[in-house]
Amino acid sequence: MSDNIAAIQKKMQRKQANTGGDHSVHQITPYEIAALVVLIIIAILFIFPLYWIITGSFKNAQDVIAKVPVWFPLQPTIDNYQRLFARPAVRWLGNTVFLCAMSMALTCVSASMGGYALAKKKFAGRTIVFSIFVCAMALPKQVILIPLLKEMAFLKLHNTLWAVILPTVGWPFGVFLMKQFSETIPESLLEAARIDGAGEARTFVEIVLPIIKPGIGALAIFTFITAWNDYFLQLIMLNDTDVLTISLGIAKLQSELSNDFGLIMAGAALGSIPIIIIFLLFQKFFTRGITMGAVKG
Amino acid sequence: MQKTAVQPRQSVAMMQSRRRENIAGYLFMAPSLLFFLGFVVFPMVMCLVYSFTDYTMTSFSFSGFANYQRMFQDAIFGKALWNTIILVLISVPVTCFFSLWAASIISKLHDRTTSFFRCVFYLPVVTGSVAVTVISRNMNWLGDASTALGCIITILLTTSVGQPIVLYVSALNNVDQSLVEAASVDGATNLQTFWRIKWPQIMPTTLYILVITTINSFQCFALIQLLTSGGPNHATETIMYYIYYNAFKLQSYGYGSAMGIILALIIAAFSALQFKVAQTDNG
């Protein structure tokens, strides 16, 4: 017991010493206080839309369109959600989750294999393949949508979720990111596996995958969020009410029932809360992924 | 004698291992290459092909450079190009400057607070354009031709600072602290330390942010489509929206593809320019 306390005290002292070390040189200036205040105000502006959507979705019909803004629903109602679920909103949400999960799974599998090959396999034409991947990343994604639409129509995939999933998986960012992570695999480990007589597949599963796991986590969450929000691609490929995503669903409600604000707010809440929760849960992976992808190799 | 006997064997072994490496490499590449070639490279090539045709619902024949000539005479395309360039010229510097400023403040805070701010600024990226537009679509300023583009730029800014802030925070944390301390021992002011020590070290990050923000701003589409449809009176027409309008509303696939090619070339030129400037800055 007393040992524990001593340890905790020691830890705290160390922590204090650490932070003291970081900040001892640094005095807080008036500029920094002012800047922090400004930043907090901007942060509130950034959170406000979300607050407005969530509270708005529980407001009754008068409050939601009131000229004098009603800051909080004093008589909360779930009316808006009842009207939302009378439409195929659950279906839209299900479509979106399927689309994102499928894009995520396929991207992770193909990109981790491809990234590993680009980083560690000295196959002929490797540099050319990699250059094409990098160049393609700099091109505007949306420019290819016209031929892509024709291609999907030809493959009879137009108006199916696969028309959105396949191009998402093909996008080169994942391979690029996984190459960055695979560079960190020590050559000696691969060498040891080779000497032990491990085959390519076994080396990949038992040596490579555990090392690049954080990278796969980053790519997974990144792909999921990107796919969730890729409005343009969804807009072009999906038309039927049955295959709409939640983003398209909300946009459809906005254009068809532009006066029913409560319903639109409920739709927007349904479209943003799940993805925010996912983002917050996997935030750590996400930050690392963004940073790794930026370090140009 | 021994040498000549060993060498061929060695080279056979080397060739075998190289062949093995090739086969393994391409097998590992196969899934991603398949998706990449099938759904990115192939459409890109087809886009170039379409741009030389008069492809519409009813016709498909080669028309040479007709689409490109038409673009030069198309006043709305000119307007869209102009708007897009204004949008890029405002949003790129503002995004970069604001995210660097914000990151320089929040990177000094405690870990928890830093990650809180990072999350908040990333929020609009996570929730996407649709959620943002839900609350801003009834702003009167969007209906006024003189203020509409300004509104769009402001909303675009909120959705584009998230990623740069994350990048800058980690870049600033990675700046060599011993140099910073040495500078402050030598009596450098905060501003001097920033420009002389930190700025050169975060240059690669700045360059990356410039490039991605430029690409994203050039492709500004969802906000326009959801909020103004290019109106009022083409005041918020951007190239990306005009491409969408021509290709998917008017079914002028050929003309839309040609504009897409031009947009890709402009973006490539901007990125190359930024690389060039950054390089001369460093050297």
Side-chain angles (χ1 to χ4, degrees), chain A residues 31-32 35 123-124 142 144 147 150-151 229 231 254 283 286 291, chain B residues 22 26 38 43 55 101 105 108 119 122 125-126 137 170 219 225 240:
Chain A
Y31 158 75
E32 277 171 343
F123 58 90
Q142 285 90 337
I144 62 171
K150 295 290 153 192
E151 191 182 345
N229 287 323
Y231 175 73
Q254 278 196 66
Q283 206 225 114
F286 198 66
T291 339
Chain B
N22 273 340
Y26 277 104
Y55 196 1
W101 177 76
I105 309 280
K108 286 182 201 153
C119 276
Y122 210 87
V125 185
V126 176
R137 64 193 308 264
S170 83
Q219 298 179 48
Q225 199 259 346
M240 208 59 240

PDB file of all heavy atoms in Angstrom, chain A residues 31-32 35 123-124 142 144 147 150-151 229 231 254 283 286 291, chain B residues 22 26 38 43 55 101 105 108 119 122 125-126 137 170 219 225 240:
ATOM      1  N   TYR A  31      -0.035  38.179 -25.217  1.00  0.00           N
ATOM      2  CA  TYR A  31      -0.426  37.778 -26.578  1.00  0.00           C
ATOM      3  C   TYR A  31      -1.021  36.387 -26.587  1.00  0.00           C
ATOM      4  O   TYR A  31      -2.033  36.119 -27.228  1.00  0.00           O
ATOM      5  CB  TYR A  31       0.781  37.840 -27.520  1.00  0.00           C
ATOM      6  CG  TYR A  31       0.623  36.984 -28.752  1.00  0.00           C
ATOM      7  CD1 TYR A  31      -0.219  37.388 -29.797  1.00  0.00           C
ATOM      8  CD2 TYR A  31       1.263  35.753 -28.860  1.00  0.00           C
ATOM      9  CE1 TYR A  31      -0.393  36.605 -30.913  1.00  0.00           C
ATOM     10  CE2 TYR A  31       1.091  34.959 -29.974  1.00  0.00           C
ATOM     11  CZ  TYR A  31       0.266  35.377 -30.996  1.00  0.00           C
ATOM     12  OH  TYR A  31       0.082  34.586 -32.085  1.00  0.00           O
ATOM     13  N   GLU A  32      -0.373  35.489 -25.835  1.00  0.00           N
ATOM     14  CA  GLU A  32      -0.855  34.102 -25.847  1.00  0.00           C
ATOM     15  C   GLU A  32      -2.228  33.966 -25.210  1.00  0.00           C
ATOM     16  O   GLU A  32      -3.048  33.182 -25.670  1.00  0.00           O
ATOM     17  CB  GLU A  32       0.156  33.199 -25.137  1.00  0.00           C
ATOM     18  CG  GLU A  32       1.279  32.800 -26.065  1.00  0.00           C
ATOM     19  CD  GLU A  32       2.396  32.093 -25.352  1.00  0.00           C
ATOM     20  OE1 GLU A  32       2.464  32.178 -24.116  1.00  0.00           O
ATOM     21  OE2 GLU A  32       3.198  31.452 -26.037  1.00  0.00           O
ATOM     22  N   ALA A  35      -4.656  35.272 -27.747  1.00  0.00           N
ATOM     23  CA  ALA A  35      -4.786  34.315 -28.844  1.00  0.00           C
ATOM     24  C   ALA A  35      -5.651  33.135 -28.421  1.00  0.00           C
ATOM     25  O   ALA A  35      -6.492  32.659 -29.184  1.00  0.00           O
ATOM     26  CB  ALA A  35      -3.409  33.831 -29.273  1.00  0.00           C
ATOM     27  N   PHE A 123      10.821  -5.752 -57.060  1.00  0.00           N
ATOM     28  CA  PHE A 123      10.388  -6.300 -58.347  1.00  0.00           C
ATOM     29  C   PHE A 123      10.637  -5.301 -59.468  1.00  0.00           C
ATOM     30  O   PHE A 123      10.744  -4.097 -59.223  1.00  0.00           O
ATOM     31  CB  PHE A 123       8.910  -6.711 -58.292  1.00  0.00           C
ATOM     32  CG  PHE A 123       7.969  -5.609 -57.933  1.00  0.00           C
ATOM     33  CD1 PHE A 123       7.403  -4.808 -58.911  1.00  0.00           C
ATOM     34  CD2 PHE A 123       7.630  -5.370 -56.600  1.00  0.00           C
ATOM     35  CE1 PHE A 123       6.523  -3.793 -58.585  1.00  0.00           C
ATOM     36  CE2 PHE A 123       6.757  -4.355 -56.265  1.00  0.00           C
ATOM     37  CZ  PHE A 123       6.199  -3.570 -57.260  1.00  0.00           C
ATOM     38  N   ALA A 124      10.756  -5.828 -60.683  1.00  0.00           N
ATOM     39  CA  ALA A 124      11.031  -4.966 -61.833  1.00  0.00           C
ATOM     40  C   ALA A 124       9.856  -4.010 -62.037  1.00  0.00           C
ATOM     41  O   ALA A 124       8.700  -4.412 -61.942  1.00  0.00           O
ATOM     42  CB  ALA A 124      11.240  -5.824 -63.071  1.00  0.00           C
ATOM     43  N   GLN A 142     -12.493  13.977 -58.902  1.00  0.00           N
ATOM     44  CA  GLN A 142     -13.816  14.087 -59.515  1.00  0.00           C
ATOM     45  C   GLN A 142     -13.770  14.106 -61.032  1.00  0.00           C
ATOM     46  O   GLN A 142     -14.768  13.829 -61.686  1.00  0.00           O
ATOM     47  CB  GLN A 142     -14.521  15.364 -59.044  1.00  0.00           C
ATOM     48  CG  GLN A 142     -15.052  15.287 -57.641  1.00  0.00           C
ATOM     49  CD  GLN A 142     -14.023  15.759 -56.621  1.00  0.00           C
ATOM     50  OE1 GLN A 142     -12.838  15.735 -56.886  1.00  0.00           O
ATOM     51  NE2 GLN A 142     -14.483  16.187 -55.467  1.00  0.00           N
ATOM     52  N   ILE A 144     -12.496  12.113 -63.022  1.00  0.00           N
ATOM     53  CA  ILE A 144     -12.692  10.812 -63.666  1.00  0.00           C
ATOM     54  C   ILE A 144     -14.119  10.301 -63.551  1.00  0.00           C
ATOM     55  O   ILE A 144     -14.433   9.219 -64.008  1.00  0.00           O
ATOM     56  CB  ILE A 144     -11.733   9.747 -63.091  1.00  0.00           C
ATOM     57  CG1 ILE A 144     -11.994   9.540 -61.597  1.00  0.00           C
ATOM     58  CG2 ILE A 144     -10.278  10.143 -63.330  1.00  0.00           C
ATOM     59  CD1 ILE A 144     -11.230   8.365 -61.024  1.00  0.00           C
ATOM     60  N   PRO A 147     -16.163   9.190 -67.106  1.00  0.00           N
ATOM     61  CA  PRO A 147     -15.902   7.836 -67.617  1.00  0.00           C
ATOM     62  C   PRO A 147     -16.255   6.749 -66.610  1.00  0.00           C
ATOM     63  O   PRO A 147     -16.702   5.666 -67.003  1.00  0.00           O
ATOM     64  CB  PRO A 147     -14.386   7.825 -67.872  1.00  0.00           C
ATOM     65  CG  PRO A 147     -13.926   9.211 -67.754  1.00  0.00           C
ATOM     66  CD  PRO A 147     -14.941   9.999 -67.047  1.00  0.00           C
ATOM     67  N   LYS A 150     -19.814   5.785 -66.934  1.00  0.00           N
ATOM     68  CA  LYS A 150     -20.032   4.939 -68.115  1.00  0.00           C
ATOM     69  C   LYS A 150     -19.543   3.516 -67.846  1.00  0.00           C
ATOM     70  O   LYS A 150     -20.190   2.539 -68.237  1.00  0.00           O
ATOM     71  CB  LYS A 150     -19.269   5.523 -69.318  1.00  0.00           C
ATOM     72  CG  LYS A 150     -19.776   6.864 -69.756  1.00  0.00           C
ATOM     73  CD  LYS A 150     -21.146   6.724 -70.380  1.00  0.00           C
ATOM     74  CE  LYS A 150     -21.921   8.016 -70.225  1.00  0.00           C
ATOM     75  NZ  LYS A 150     -23.333   7.884 -70.552  1.00  0.00           N
ATOM     76  N   GLU A 151     -18.398   3.433 -67.169  1.00  0.00           N
ATOM     77  CA  GLU A 151     -17.820   2.122 -66.861  1.00  0.00           C
ATOM     78  C   GLU A 151     -18.770   1.326 -65.965  1.00  0.00           C
ATOM     79  O   GLU A 151     -19.013   0.140 -66.195  1.00  0.00           O
ATOM     80  CB  GLU A 151     -16.463   2.312 -66.178  1.00  0.00           C
ATOM     81  CG  GLU A 151     -15.645   1.050 -66.047  1.00  0.00           C
ATOM     82  CD  GLU A 151     -14.315   1.296 -65.324  1.00  0.00           C
ATOM     83  OE1 GLU A 151     -13.917   2.458 -65.180  1.00  0.00           O
ATOM     84  OE2 GLU A 151     -13.708   0.311 -64.889  1.00  0.00           O
ATOM     85  N   ASN A 229     -18.167  10.617 -46.363  1.00  0.00           N
ATOM     86  CA  ASN A 229     -18.388  11.988 -46.809  1.00  0.00           C
ATOM     87  C   ASN A 229     -18.159  12.222 -48.298  1.00  0.00           C
ATOM     88  O   ASN A 229     -18.159  13.354 -48.736  1.00  0.00           O
ATOM     89  CB  ASN A 229     -17.461  12.928 -46.030  1.00  0.00           C
ATOM     90  CG  ASN A 229     -17.941  13.089 -44.618  1.00  0.00           C
ATOM     91  OD1 ASN A 229     -19.141  13.130 -44.376  1.00  0.00           O
ATOM     92  ND2 ASN A 229     -17.020  13.151 -43.683  1.00  0.00           N
ATOM     93  N   TYR A 231     -19.446  12.832 -51.029  1.00  0.00           N
ATOM     94  CA  TYR A 231     -20.773  13.166 -51.527  1.00  0.00           C
ATOM     95  C   TYR A 231     -20.867  13.126 -53.048  1.00  0.00           C
ATOM     96  O   TYR A 231     -21.832  12.612 -53.606  1.00  0.00           O
ATOM     97  CB  TYR A 231     -21.144  14.556 -51.000  1.00  0.00           C
ATOM     98  CG  TYR A 231     -22.434  15.102 -51.519  1.00  0.00           C
ATOM     99  CD1 TYR A 231     -23.644  14.586 -51.062  1.00  0.00           C
ATOM    100  CD2 TYR A 231     -22.461  16.118 -52.450  1.00  0.00           C
ATOM    101  CE1 TYR A 231     -24.843  15.076 -51.528  1.00  0.00           C
ATOM    102  CE2 TYR A 231     -23.650  16.623 -52.924  1.00  0.00           C
ATOM    103  CZ  TYR A 231     -24.839  16.101 -52.462  1.00  0.00           C
ATOM    104  OH  TYR A 231     -26.020  16.588 -52.937  1.00  0.00           O
ATOM    105  N   GLN A 254     -33.739  17.812 -48.123  1.00  0.00           N
ATOM    106  CA  GLN A 254     -33.566  19.265 -48.209  1.00  0.00           C
ATOM    107  C   GLN A 254     -34.222  19.832 -49.447  1.00  0.00           C
ATOM    108  O   GLN A 254     -34.794  20.910 -49.406  1.00  0.00           O
ATOM    109  CB  GLN A 254     -32.075  19.620 -48.243  1.00  0.00           C
ATOM    110  CG  GLN A 254     -31.419  19.666 -46.891  1.00  0.00           C
ATOM    111  CD  GLN A 254     -30.094  20.400 -46.977  1.00  0.00           C
ATOM    112  OE1 GLN A 254     -30.051  21.588 -47.249  1.00  0.00           O
ATOM    113  NE2 GLN A 254     -29.012  19.688 -46.743  1.00  0.00           N
ATOM    114  N   GLN A 283      -9.624   8.342 -32.762  1.00  0.00           N
ATOM    115  CA  GLN A 283      -8.929   9.585 -33.026  1.00  0.00           C
ATOM    116  C   GLN A 283      -7.406   9.431 -33.097  1.00  0.00           C
ATOM    117  O   GLN A 283      -6.748  10.010 -33.949  1.00  0.00           O
ATOM    118  CB  GLN A 283      -9.292  10.520 -31.885  1.00  0.00           C
ATOM    119  CG  GLN A 283      -9.220  11.951 -32.206  1.00  0.00           C
ATOM    120  CD  GLN A 283      -8.516  12.651 -31.085  1.00  0.00           C
ATOM    121  OE1 GLN A 283      -7.447  13.155 -31.293  1.00  0.00           O
ATOM    122  NE2 GLN A 283      -9.096  12.674 -29.903  1.00  0.00           N
ATOM    123  N   PHE A 286      -6.127   8.064 -36.231  1.00  0.00           N
ATOM    124  CA  PHE A 286      -6.421   8.976 -37.312  1.00  0.00           C
ATOM    125  C   PHE A 286      -5.330  10.028 -37.453  1.00  0.00           C
ATOM    126  O   PHE A 286      -4.800  10.258 -38.531  1.00  0.00           O
ATOM    127  CB  PHE A 286      -7.751   9.654 -36.987  1.00  0.00           C
ATOM    128  CG  PHE A 286      -8.384  10.290 -38.163  1.00  0.00           C
ATOM    129  CD1 PHE A 286      -8.831   9.514 -39.204  1.00  0.00           C
ATOM    130  CD2 PHE A 286      -8.526  11.654 -38.228  1.00  0.00           C
ATOM    131  CE1 PHE A 286      -9.427  10.096 -40.291  1.00  0.00           C
ATOM    132  CE2 PHE A 286      -9.118  12.244 -39.311  1.00  0.00           C
ATOM    133  CZ  PHE A 286      -9.572  11.462 -40.340  1.00  0.00           C
ATOM    134  N   THR A 291      -0.624  12.224 -40.385  1.00  0.00           N
ATOM    135  CA  THR A 291       0.750  12.711 -40.323  1.00  0.00           C
ATOM    136  C   THR A 291       1.688  11.841 -41.141  1.00  0.00           C
ATOM    137  O   THR A 291       2.548  12.349 -41.847  1.00  0.00           O
ATOM    138  CB  THR A 291       1.235  12.748 -38.859  1.00  0.00           C
ATOM    139  OG1 THR A 291       0.098  12.770 -38.008  1.00  0.00           O
ATOM    140  CG2 THR A 291       2.034  13.964 -38.588  1.00  0.00           C
TER     141      THR A 291
ATOM    142  N   ASN B  22      10.214 -10.908 -58.190  1.00  0.00           N
ATOM    143  CA  ASN B  22       9.270 -10.323 -59.149  1.00  0.00           C
ATOM    144  C   ASN B  22       7.878 -10.903 -58.992  1.00  0.00           C
ATOM    145  O   ASN B  22       6.889 -10.180 -58.936  1.00  0.00           O
ATOM    146  CB  ASN B  22       9.742 -10.588 -60.582  1.00  0.00           C
ATOM    147  CG  ASN B  22      10.704  -9.505 -61.037  1.00  0.00           C
ATOM    148  OD1 ASN B  22      10.725  -8.417 -60.463  1.00  0.00           O
ATOM    149  ND2 ASN B  22      11.497  -9.807 -62.045  1.00  0.00           N
ATOM    150  N   TYR B  26       4.629  -8.809 -57.635  1.00  0.00           N
ATOM    151  CA  TYR B  26       3.404  -8.561 -58.405  1.00  0.00           C
ATOM    152  C   TYR B  26       2.191  -9.257 -57.819  1.00  0.00           C
ATOM    153  O   TYR B  26       1.065  -8.757 -57.929  1.00  0.00           O
ATOM    154  CB  TYR B  26       3.612  -8.908 -59.885  1.00  0.00           C
ATOM    155  CG  TYR B  26       4.279  -7.758 -60.610  1.00  0.00           C
ATOM    156  CD1 TYR B  26       5.624  -7.794 -60.962  1.00  0.00           C
ATOM    157  CD2 TYR B  26       3.561  -6.594 -60.897  1.00  0.00           C
ATOM    158  CE1 TYR B  26       6.238  -6.724 -61.582  1.00  0.00           C
ATOM    159  CE2 TYR B  26       4.169  -5.510 -61.515  1.00  0.00           C
ATOM    160  CZ  TYR B  26       5.503  -5.579 -61.862  1.00  0.00           C
ATOM    161  OH  TYR B  26       6.106  -4.509 -62.469  1.00  0.00           O
ATOM    162  N   GLY B  38      -8.188  -0.429 -62.856  1.00  0.00           N
ATOM    163  CA  GLY B  38      -9.557  -0.559 -63.336  1.00  0.00           C
ATOM    164  C   GLY B  38     -10.423   0.654 -63.052  1.00  0.00           C
ATOM    165  O   GLY B  38     -11.249   1.039 -63.878  1.00  0.00           O
ATOM    166  N   PRO B  43     -10.344   5.085 -66.151  1.00  0.00           N
ATOM    167  CA  PRO B  43     -11.209   6.265 -66.355  1.00  0.00           C
ATOM    168  C   PRO B  43     -10.425   7.529 -66.702  1.00  0.00           C
ATOM    169  O   PRO B  43     -10.909   8.354 -67.480  1.00  0.00           O
ATOM    170  CB  PRO B  43     -11.916   6.440 -65.006  1.00  0.00           C
ATOM    171  CG  PRO B  43     -11.744   5.176 -64.283  1.00  0.00           C
ATOM    172  CD  PRO B  43     -10.546   4.490 -64.829  1.00  0.00           C
ATOM    173  N   TYR B  55     -19.180  13.509 -77.382  1.00  0.00           N
ATOM    174  CA  TYR B  55     -19.980  12.530 -76.655  1.00  0.00           C
ATOM    175  C   TYR B  55     -21.171  13.172 -75.929  1.00  0.00           C
ATOM    176  O   TYR B  55     -21.020  14.010 -75.049  1.00  0.00           O
ATOM    177  CB  TYR B  55     -19.075  11.837 -75.632  1.00  0.00           C
ATOM    178  CG  TYR B  55     -19.591  10.563 -75.041  1.00  0.00           C
ATOM    179  CD1 TYR B  55     -20.820  10.030 -75.411  1.00  0.00           C
ATOM    180  CD2 TYR B  55     -18.833   9.872 -74.098  1.00  0.00           C
ATOM    181  CE1 TYR B  55     -21.270   8.855 -74.858  1.00  0.00           C
ATOM    182  CE2 TYR B  55     -19.283   8.686 -73.536  1.00  0.00           C
ATOM    183  CZ  TYR B  55     -20.499   8.182 -73.913  1.00  0.00           C
ATOM    184  OH  TYR B  55     -20.947   7.018 -73.365  1.00  0.00           O
ATOM    185  N   TRP B 101      -1.162  29.399 -37.352  1.00  0.00           N
ATOM    186  CA  TRP B 101      -1.356  30.225 -36.161  1.00  0.00           C
ATOM    187  C   TRP B 101      -2.028  29.409 -35.052  1.00  0.00           C
ATOM    188  O   TRP B 101      -1.530  29.347 -33.927  1.00  0.00           O
ATOM    189  CB  TRP B 101      -2.191  31.450 -36.529  1.00  0.00           C
ATOM    190  CG  TRP B 101      -2.514  32.336 -35.365  1.00  0.00           C
ATOM    191  CD1 TRP B 101      -1.669  33.201 -34.753  1.00  0.00           C
ATOM    192  CD2 TRP B 101      -3.759  32.410 -34.678  1.00  0.00           C
ATOM    193  NE1 TRP B 101      -2.317  33.810 -33.719  1.00  0.00           N
ATOM    194  CE2 TRP B 101      -3.591  33.364 -33.642  1.00  0.00           C
ATOM    195  CE3 TRP B 101      -4.994  31.776 -34.830  1.00  0.00           C
ATOM    196  CZ2 TRP B 101      -4.627  33.677 -32.759  1.00  0.00           C
ATOM    197  CZ3 TRP B 101      -6.017  32.091 -33.959  1.00  0.00           C
ATOM    198  CH2 TRP B 101      -5.830  33.046 -32.931  1.00  0.00           C
ATOM    199  N   ILE B 105      -0.457  27.937 -31.316  1.00  0.00           N
ATOM    200  CA  ILE B 105      -1.012  28.157 -29.970  1.00  0.00           C
ATOM    201  C   ILE B 105      -1.304  26.817 -29.305  1.00  0.00           C
ATOM    202  O   ILE B 105      -0.849  26.541 -28.190  1.00  0.00           O
ATOM    203  CB  ILE B 105      -2.335  28.956 -30.036  1.00  0.00           C
ATOM    204  CG1 ILE B 105      -2.187  30.210 -30.867  1.00  0.00           C
ATOM    205  CG2 ILE B 105      -2.846  29.259 -28.619  1.00  0.00           C
ATOM    206  CD1 ILE B 105      -1.552  31.360 -30.186  1.00  0.00           C
ATOM    207  N   LYS B 108       1.287  24.312 -27.765  1.00  0.00           N
ATOM    208  CA  LYS B 108       1.955  24.619 -26.504  1.00  0.00           C
ATOM    209  C   LYS B 108       1.126  24.184 -25.301  1.00  0.00           C
ATOM    210  O   LYS B 108       1.624  24.174 -24.187  1.00  0.00           O
ATOM    211  CB  LYS B 108       2.201  26.136 -26.412  1.00  0.00           C
ATOM    212  CG  LYS B 108       3.322  26.621 -27.301  1.00  0.00           C
ATOM    213  CD  LYS B 108       3.524  28.108 -27.100  1.00  0.00           C
ATOM    214  CE  LYS B 108       4.238  28.726 -28.268  1.00  0.00           C
ATOM    215  NZ  LYS B 108       3.898  30.136 -28.426  1.00  0.00           N
ATOM    216  N   CYS B 119      -9.602  18.068 -32.313  1.00  0.00           N
ATOM    217  CA  CYS B 119     -10.879  17.429 -32.632  1.00  0.00           C
ATOM    218  C   CYS B 119     -11.913  18.442 -33.089  1.00  0.00           C
ATOM    219  O   CYS B 119     -12.618  18.227 -34.068  1.00  0.00           O
ATOM    220  CB  CYS B 119     -11.444  16.724 -31.404  1.00  0.00           C
ATOM    221  SG  CYS B 119     -10.781  15.119 -31.181  1.00  0.00           S
ATOM    222  N   TYR B 122     -11.378  19.597 -36.444  1.00  0.00           N
ATOM    223  CA  TYR B 122     -11.559  18.537 -37.434  1.00  0.00           C
ATOM    224  C   TYR B 122     -13.036  18.186 -37.641  1.00  0.00           C
ATOM    225  O   TYR B 122     -13.404  17.535 -38.612  1.00  0.00           O
ATOM    226  CB  TYR B 122     -10.766  17.288 -37.027  1.00  0.00           C
ATOM    227  CG  TYR B 122     -10.314  16.506 -38.223  1.00  0.00           C
ATOM    228  CD1 TYR B 122      -9.114  16.806 -38.859  1.00  0.00           C
ATOM    229  CD2 TYR B 122     -11.110  15.521 -38.780  1.00  0.00           C
ATOM    230  CE1 TYR B 122      -8.722  16.147 -39.992  1.00  0.00           C
ATOM    231  CE2 TYR B 122     -10.720  14.846 -39.916  1.00  0.00           C
ATOM    232  CZ  TYR B 122      -9.519  15.164 -40.513  1.00  0.00           C
ATOM    233  OH  TYR B 122      -9.140  14.519 -41.635  1.00  0.00           O
ATOM    234  N   VAL B 125     -14.841  18.430 -40.989  1.00  0.00           N
ATOM    235  CA  VAL B 125     -14.382  17.452 -41.980  1.00  0.00           C
ATOM    236  C   VAL B 125     -15.098  16.122 -41.744  1.00  0.00           C
ATOM    237  O   VAL B 125     -15.505  15.447 -42.685  1.00  0.00           O
ATOM    238  CB  VAL B 125     -12.851  17.239 -41.878  1.00  0.00           C
ATOM    239  CG1 VAL B 125     -12.369  16.325 -42.989  1.00  0.00           C
ATOM    240  CG2 VAL B 125     -12.126  18.561 -41.907  1.00  0.00           C
ATOM    241  N   VAL B 126     -15.257  15.772 -40.486  1.00  0.00           N
ATOM    242  CA  VAL B 126     -15.889  14.497 -40.156  1.00  0.00           C
ATOM    243  C   VAL B 126     -17.371  14.499 -40.507  1.00  0.00           C
ATOM    244  O   VAL B 126     -17.877  13.558 -41.113  1.00  0.00           O
ATOM    245  CB  VAL B 126     -15.706  14.175 -38.660  1.00  0.00           C
ATOM    246  CG1 VAL B 126     -16.438  12.912 -38.291  1.00  0.00           C
ATOM    247  CG2 VAL B 126     -14.239  14.047 -38.322  1.00  0.00           C
ATOM    248  N   ARG B 137     -28.034  27.038 -45.168  1.00  0.00           N
ATOM    249  CA  ARG B 137     -28.654  27.222 -46.487  1.00  0.00           C
ATOM    250  C   ARG B 137     -29.638  28.382 -46.541  1.00  0.00           C
ATOM    251  O   ARG B 137     -29.966  28.865 -47.620  1.00  0.00           O
ATOM    252  CB  ARG B 137     -29.289  25.936 -46.983  1.00  0.00           C
ATOM    253  CG  ARG B 137     -30.437  25.423 -46.175  1.00  0.00           C
ATOM    254  CD  ARG B 137     -30.728  24.006 -46.599  1.00  0.00           C
ATOM    255  NE  ARG B 137     -30.899  23.907 -48.046  1.00  0.00           N
ATOM    256  CZ  ARG B 137     -32.073  23.929 -48.637  1.00  0.00           C
ATOM    257  NH1 ARG B 137     -33.168  24.047 -47.949  1.00  0.00           N
ATOM    258  NH2 ARG B 137     -32.146  23.823 -49.944  1.00  0.00           N
ATOM    259  N   SER B 170       1.678  18.404 -35.280  1.00  0.00           N
ATOM    260  CA  SER B 170       2.712  17.374 -35.130  1.00  0.00           C
ATOM    261  C   SER B 170       4.046  17.859 -35.681  1.00  0.00           C
ATOM    262  O   SER B 170       5.098  17.516 -35.151  1.00  0.00           O
ATOM    263  CB  SER B 170       2.267  16.053 -35.746  1.00  0.00           C
ATOM    264  OG  SER B 170       2.498  16.059 -37.108  1.00  0.00           O
ATOM    265  N   GLN B 219     -11.439  21.847 -56.243  1.00  0.00           N
ATOM    266  CA  GLN B 219     -12.509  20.880 -56.442  1.00  0.00           C
ATOM    267  C   GLN B 219     -13.751  21.192 -55.643  1.00  0.00           C
ATOM    268  O   GLN B 219     -14.625  20.344 -55.488  1.00  0.00           O
ATOM    269  CB  GLN B 219     -12.020  19.492 -56.062  1.00  0.00           C
ATOM    270  CG  GLN B 219     -10.884  19.039 -56.922  1.00  0.00           C
ATOM    271  CD  GLN B 219     -10.413  17.681 -56.522  1.00  0.00           C
ATOM    272  OE1 GLN B 219     -11.191  16.767 -56.340  1.00  0.00           O
ATOM    273  NE2 GLN B 219      -9.117  17.532 -56.367  1.00  0.00           N
ATOM    274  N   GLN B 225     -23.127  22.759 -54.885  1.00  0.00           N
ATOM    275  CA  GLN B 225     -24.282  21.998 -55.354  1.00  0.00           C
ATOM    276  C   GLN B 225     -25.406  22.050 -54.325  1.00  0.00           C
ATOM    277  O   GLN B 225     -26.568  22.174 -54.665  1.00  0.00           O
ATOM    278  CB  GLN B 225     -23.846  20.551 -55.635  1.00  0.00           C
ATOM    279  CG  GLN B 225     -24.798  19.786 -56.534  1.00  0.00           C
ATOM    280  CD  GLN B 225     -25.705  18.858 -55.756  1.00  0.00           C
ATOM    281  OE1 GLN B 225     -25.480  18.580 -54.592  1.00  0.00           O
ATOM    282  NE2 GLN B 225     -26.760  18.390 -56.407  1.00  0.00           N
ATOM    283  N   MET B 240     -15.596  22.978 -61.081  1.00  0.00           N
ATOM    284  CA  MET B 240     -16.081  21.647 -60.740  1.00  0.00           C
ATOM    285  C   MET B 240     -17.597  21.559 -60.861  1.00  0.00           C
ATOM    286  O   MET B 240     -18.131  20.588 -61.381  1.00  0.00           O
ATOM    287  CB  MET B 240     -15.646  21.325 -59.299  1.00  0.00           C
ATOM    288  CG  MET B 240     -15.454  19.871 -59.025  1.00  0.00           C
ATOM    289  SD  MET B 240     -14.236  19.103 -60.073  1.00  0.00           S
ATOM    290  CE  MET B 240     -15.236  17.871 -60.862  1.00  0.00           C
TER     291      MET B 240
END
